Amino acid sequence: MGISIATNPSSSTQYSHCRTHKIFLFTNYILLGAASSCIFLTLSLRLLPSLCGFLLILLHLLTIAAAISGCAAASNGTNRWYGAHMVATVVTAIFQGSVSVLIFTRADDFLEQLKSYVREEDAVVILKLAGGLCGVMFCLEWMVLTLAFFLKYYDYVDGADRSSKVQGEEMGNWSYPFKVQV
């Protein structure tokens, strides 16, 4: 005899939430790997002296920061990390998509702006590889945004679904301040 608190979250919602959380983290890890690979491809072009090369590396660093904040938001669950993750991911997704389109449509002009010291044929191949990774990161970032929305939705539903009820205790023998009239 005693007080037991029973919550009735549906097991399918719990399973779906857990699976979405795992996919979200896995997608963020893939995004981290793609962004760091893109940084190494960009550095292999020897672009550091140019402003465009520095901005391209900065974009990939911002992508890494967004993925890290996404992992922190998933594990911590606070609204502050969630908001920072959403803003950073939207900004980087827009820029990653723009860079990818720019690389594939105007690779020679883009390479000229980067002031690379690598042979032009090799630089175009490296740049197209980086452009492909930018396109992959664009898709992954929108997938991460969708999964983050679902995770926040599941948290909202789970919070509204938790109705705690006192079970297994007779209310008749409790004193007046503890009785709840329904």
Side-chain angles (χ1 to χ4, degrees):
M1 186 163 251
I3 298 176
S4 65
I5 297 177
T7 58
N8 290 331
S10 63
S11 62
S12 65
T13 305
Q14 291 276 346
Y15 177 72
S16 179
H17 182 146
C18 182
R19 185 181 45 184
T20 305
H21 188 265
K22 287 179 182 179
I23 293 170
F24 177 77
L25 288 175
F26 185 67
T27 307
N28 270 317
Y29 293 147
I30 293 173
L31 193 59
L32 280 168
S36 61
S37 298
C38 215
I39 285 176
F40 287 121
L41 282 173
T42 306
L43 287 175
S44 71
L45 286 173
R46 299 185 203 139
L47 302 175
L48 217 42
S50 69
L51 179 64
C52 289
F54 174 73
L55 291 175
L56 192 60
I57 291 171
L58 188 65
L59 173 64
H60 301 316
L61 288 175
L62 184 63
T63 303
I64 290 172
I68 290 172
S69 72
C71 292
S75 63
N76 196 1
T78 61
N79 285 335
R80 184 185 65 171
W81 280 110
Y82 178 76
H85 170 253
M86 294 300 266
V87 168
T89 305
V90 166
V91 168
T92 57
I94 291 169
F95 285 131
Q96 290 288 359
S98 301
V99 167
S100 178
V101 168
L102 182 66
I103 287 173
F104 281 120
T105 58
R106 305 187 53 110
D108 295 329
D109 296 335
F110 188 67
L111 195 58
E112 193 175 292
Q113 286 292 327
L114 292 177
K115 299 176 187 166
S116 177
Y117 300 112
V118 180
R119 283 190 347 214
E120 190 170 341
E121 309 87 43
D122 296 336
V124 168
V125 170
I126 293 171
L127 197 60
K128 296 246 180 183
L129 285 171
L133 275 175
C134 286
V136 167
M137 284 188 285
F138 173 77
C139 295
L140 284 173
E141 284 172 337
W142 285 108
M143 187 174 163
V144 162
L145 284 170
T146 304
L147 290 169
F149 172 76
F150 283 130
L151 285 174
K152 195 63 166 177
Y153 174 74
Y154 287 142
D155 283 344
Y156 177 76
V157 168
D158 285 346
D161 195 27
R162 286 190 188 120
S163 58
S164 299
K165 298 176 185 172
V166 177
Q167 292 181 346
E169 186 72 32
E170 293 293 325
M171 296 289 235
N173 58 359
W174 285 26
S175 64
Y176 174 70
F178 295 111
K179 288 184 181 178
V180 178
Q181 302 295 325
V182 181

